[in-house]
Amino acid sequence: MTDDHELDVLIAEIFDYHGYDFSGYSRASFKRRIDRIYQLDGFRSFEEFLSRVRTDAGYFDRLVEEITVNVTEMFRDPSFYKVLREEILPSLRSKPFIRIWHAGCSTGQEVYSMAILLEEAGLLSKALLYATDINQTVLETAKRGVFPLALMKDYAENYRDSGGKKDFTTYYFANYGLAKFDERLSQKMVFSQHSLVSDGSFNEFDLIVCRNVMIYFDKELQDRALQLFDNSLSRLGYLALGTKETIKYTSVQKKYEQLRNEKIWKKTN
C-alpha cells in the first residue's frame, strides 16, 4: 500500500517524465487505483514500481488506463439521450454548422451514440464531433469504432429507450463476434489527445458533453474544467455532465439554467 508521501513522489515523477498532471485528481480515487495496480502486478517495493513507471512507456500507458477509469456504453442513461433528441438537437437545427465536444470520450461509445442521434435528426452532414481523452489507448479504440457484438443487445435496448425507432443493427456490421459501426458516422468525428488538467480551449462549441469524468477530480480541478468548458461554449450553447456531477455552487453557475431534471445546462449569459 502506498502512503501520502509516495503518492506525492509518484505524481511529481509522472509529470516530470511523461508530462501528465494527476495532482488535481481525487486523492482517495487516485490512491485506490495505484494500490490496485501495485498489488496486481506484484511489486516488492515502491522504488521498483516507480522505476517501472519512469522507464517503461508501455507500462505507463497501462497505468494511465487504470487511473482514468474507462467505463462507458452506448446511450447510457436513455432519458439523457431523450432530452438530447427531443430538445437540444432541434434547437441547433437553425445553425449553419454544429460543433460538439465529447471531453473524456473514453472508448467512444457516447460519441457514436451522438452521431446516431444527429443522423436521425438529419443534422449529421453539417455537424462535427470532436472527441478527446487523456488516454491515447482508448482513443485508438474509439477511432476504430469496433465493439464486442455481445454488448449490442444492451446498447439496442438503451437506444430504443432513448426514443430510437430504427433497427439498431443498421448502424453496424457484425463479424467474428465484433460490431463495426458504419463509417458514415466516424467520418464526422475528430479524435485527439487532450488533458482537462493542462490543456486549454481549442474551438467554440454548441454542445459540450463530459459525463462521469469530473467525479474523479478534486474541487479545484472541477472548477478549472468548468471554466474551460465555459470558455469553449458558444452563447446559448449546452453543457452536459454525468448523473453525479453538477455546476451548482461553482463560479459558472449564474451563467446557466438547467433543463428538466437532467444534468444539462443552457448557457444564457
Side-chain angles (χ1 to χ4, degrees):
M1 303 289 285
T2 51
D3 59 33
D4 286 343
H5 172 69
E6 289 171 337
L7 288 178
D8 288 338
V9 170
L10 177 64
I11 289 169
E13 294 288 283
I14 286 174
F15 183 75
D16 288 344
Y17 278 80
H18 302 283
Y20 285 68
D21 186 358
F22 289 112
S23 60
Y25 276 61
S26 161
R27 181 54 67 104
S29 176
F30 186 80
K31 183 180 189 314
R32 191 162 54 246
R33 297 189 178 282
I34 292 301
D35 285 344
R36 180 177 182 275
I37 197 170
Y38 187 98
Q39 292 172 352
L40 280 175
D41 295 347
F43 288 101
R44 292 166 293 181
S45 68
F46 178 73
E47 289 71 23
E48 180 186 0
F49 173 62
L50 191 61
S51 176
R52 184 82 181 274
V53 171
R54 285 172 179 157
T55 60
D56 187 334
Y59 188 77
F60 177 70
D61 288 343
R62 165 170 156 72
L63 181 69
V64 170
E65 190 162 357
E66 179 67 28
I67 295 170
T68 52
V69 191
N70 297 291
V71 179
T72 185
E73 62 186 56
M74 294 192 73
F75 296 94
R76 184 180 188 180
D77 305 317
S79 62
F80 167 82
Y81 283 93
K82 200 173 185 69
V83 174
L84 290 180
R85 185 190 294 277
E86 296 177 352
E87 295 188 32
I88 309 301
L89 295 189
S91 75
L92 300 179
R93 183 175 296 279
S94 62
K95 288 183 172 288
F97 196 76
I98 300 169
R99 291 184 178 87
I100 298 173
W101 178 16
H102 282 264
C105 70
S106 187
T107 45
Q109 282 91 329
E110 292 202 19
V111 189
Y112 284 88
S113 302
M114 182 69 73
I116 289 171
L117 290 187
L118 289 163
E119 168 79 1
E120 294 185 356
L123 299 175
L124 187 60
S125 61
K126 65 172 184 177
L128 196 58
L129 287 78
Y130 294 80
T132 66
D133 201 280
I134 193 175
N135 186 337
Q136 187 62 44
T137 301
V138 298
L139 282 173
E140 292 302 323
T141 299
K143 286 179 187 178
R144 290 193 294 271
V146 177
F147 309 112
L149 187 60
L151 298 176
M152 293 304 115
K153 181 180 178 182
D154 288 341
Y155 291 176
E157 184 174 338
N158 287 349
Y159 164 76
R160 289 190 296 270
D161 289 344
S162 76
K165 305 297 184 185
K166 294 188 177 182
D167 183 348
F168 192 64
T169 61
T170 61
Y171 290 111
Y172 63 85
F173 305 94
N175 197 17
Y176 297 106
L178 297 172
K180 177 171 176 51
F181 277 79
D182 197 311
E183 289 186 1
R184 76 181 186 274
L185 302 176
S186 57
Q187 283 173 354
K188 306 299 293 185
M189 302 173 186
V190 177
F191 293 94
S192 180
Q193 197 167 18
H194 181 277
S195 170
L196 295 174
V197 179
S198 56
D199 295 334
S201 178
F202 58 93
N203 214 323
E204 184 176 80
F205 299 95
D206 303 296
L207 169 61
I208 297 176
V209 181
C210 183
R211 305 184 71 216
N212 306 305
V213 175
M214 293 195 301
I215 55 174
Y216 301 107
F217 294 173
D218 65 18
K219 182 64 166 63
E220 183 179 348
L221 183 51
Q222 288 175 6
D223 288 343
R224 185 198 183 285
L226 288 172
Q227 193 61 58
L228 170 62
F229 295 151
D230 184 56
N231 293 339
S232 304
L233 202 59
S234 65
R235 186 176 178 274
L236 303 181
Y238 298 91
L239 174 63
L241 303 179
T243 55
K244 296 180 180 179
E245 297 164 330
T246 185
I247 67 170
K248 288 182 179 179
Y249 315 115
T250 69
S251 60
V252 304
Q253 178 183 358
K254 61 185 178 181
K255 300 181 181 181
Y256 293 82
E257 62 180 25
Q258 190 171 0
L259 274 69
R260 297 193 197 174
N261 293 320
E262 294 297 329
K263 296 302 183 73
I264 303 174
W265 288 266
K266 184 176 183 178
K267 188 174 184 178
T268 57
N269 185 351

